[in-house]
Amino acid sequence: LSAVTKRNDQHMVLTVQDDRIVETPVSPGETFGERIVIREGIASGGKVVTRPEPGLTAGTKVRVRAQ
């Protein structure tokens, strides 16, 4: 749930593409506790920043940690 933000009346998540942050518009659905269903906007297996740090913006170079 913390991954979804609202900017300019549009729901967004931060995703990682080619080691850079991208603001990706999404259509959220139902919530289940602290989880939310994303109906449209990201593909299955997409890399989503689940707890974005304040000030993290589009274009920032990042390194993905192995889980």
Side-chain angles (χ1 to χ4, degrees):
L1 194 58
S2 64
V4 180
T5 61
K6 195 167 185 181
R7 295 185 185 168
N8 299 322
D9 291 326
Q10 189 165 21
H11 290 91
M12 305 279 237
V13 295
L14 297 180
T15 58
V16 179
Q17 296 176 17
D18 299 323
D19 297 327
R20 297 220 178 251
I21 294 295
V22 176
E23 290 182 345
T24 304
V26 295
S27 295
E30 307 83 46
T31 58
F32 299 94
E34 292 190 23
R35 294 179 178 243
I36 188 167
V37 173
I38 301 297
R39 294 182 296 187
E40 293 180 12
I42 55 174
S44 177
K47 297 175 185 170
V48 175
V49 179
T50 56
R51 291 186 181 103
E53 296 289 325
L56 189 60
T57 58
T60 302
K61 188 168 177 68
V62 295
R63 182 175 34 179
V64 177
R65 256 189 339 192
Q67 291 186 340

